[in-house]
Amino acid sequence: MTTERGYTTGRARRERIIAAATALFGRVGFNSATMLEIAQVCEISRAGLAHHFPTKESLMEAVLETRDLEDRERFRRNGSQGQDGIGILRGMVDLARHNTEVGGIIALYAVLSAEAADPSHPAHEYFVRRYQRIRSGTAKALRDARVAGHLAPHVDEDRAAAELTALMDGLQLQWLLDPTSVDMAETVRRRIEELLVVPLAVAGSPGAGEHVATISTSARA
């Protein structure tokens, strides 16, 4: 029982450290944040912080990994395992909506991704791989949507994937600057629907194939 209680306490402290680091990195950037500041926010010693995260780089990795795990779980709940790509596309809209509730995370990514443009930054390779993964996954979802008959004929999947990725990041920065006038989820939804031949709410649902066939037949008439 003592061991279990110690494990639970340690896990809670680790999560608190990650949350504090997320907020500080997002506010001042990775380079300006210090481990001492994070330890003070968490009300632990510098040595206590080092017990969980020996270096600032290891803490940053934990912060980024935590966000990625949360995003993957969100996509999984949205049915991203479907074969028509629509779950992924709907997941993008849901993620944009969710991001309005986690301004600290959005600030973190805005600051870190800009810093990481420097090849010497410890997160440089992470962001290179992240954008490659996002573009690749989005392009695959669009190709799956094409096979299912949902994608408009003119769409180039790889180009559209890069554009959607840029749209998401650009909207996040605009939202940070002026949250009252930027609707990230609605803008992403509208752009995705411009790539489809049926509304996103309809695509992938029973009967969507017949609707697509009707549109296609009308277009040829």
Side-chain angles (χ1 to χ4, degrees), residues 41-107:
V41 170
C42 296
E43 299 180 334
I44 59 176
S45 67
R46 177 66 179 81
L49 177 59
H51 173 73
H52 295 278
F53 300 101
T55 66
K56 190 165 66 166
E57 288 76 14
S58 65
L59 177 52
M60 182 187 64
E61 290 174 5
V63 167
L64 296 174
E65 181 181 287
T66 298
R67 167 71 188 277
D68 284 347
L69 288 173
E70 291 173 352
D71 284 352
R72 282 197 290 270
E73 174 60 20
R74 180 167 295 278
F75 272 87
R76 186 193 65 79
R77 291 199 302 269
N78 273 278
S80 63
Q81 303 306 312
Q83 298 301 308
D84 61 2
I86 296 304
I88 292 290
L89 300 177
R90 287 196 184 115
M92 293 176 67
V93 177
D94 181 68
L95 181 60
R97 183 178 299 108
H98 171 71
N99 283 345
T100 63
E101 304 170 5
V102 288
I105 291 289
I106 301 309

Side-chain angles (χ1 to χ4, degrees), residues 71 74-75 78 80 85-99 134-135 137-139 141-142 160-169 171-172 184-189 191-192 195 200:
D71 284 352
R74 180 167 295 278
F75 272 87
N78 273 278
S80 63
I86 296 304
I88 292 290
L89 300 177
R90 287 196 184 115
M92 293 176 67
V93 177
D94 181 68
L95 181 60
R97 183 178 299 108
H98 171 71
N99 283 345
I134 292 173
R135 290 194 303 269
T138 304
L142 293 170
E163 291 172 352
L164 286 172
T165 302
L167 176 65
M168 292 280 285
D169 276 16
L171 285 171
Q172 289 174 4
M184 292 192 287
E186 178 61 16
T187 303
V188 172
R189 184 193 64 78
R191 179 57 187 138
I192 289 175
L195 306 176
L200 191 57

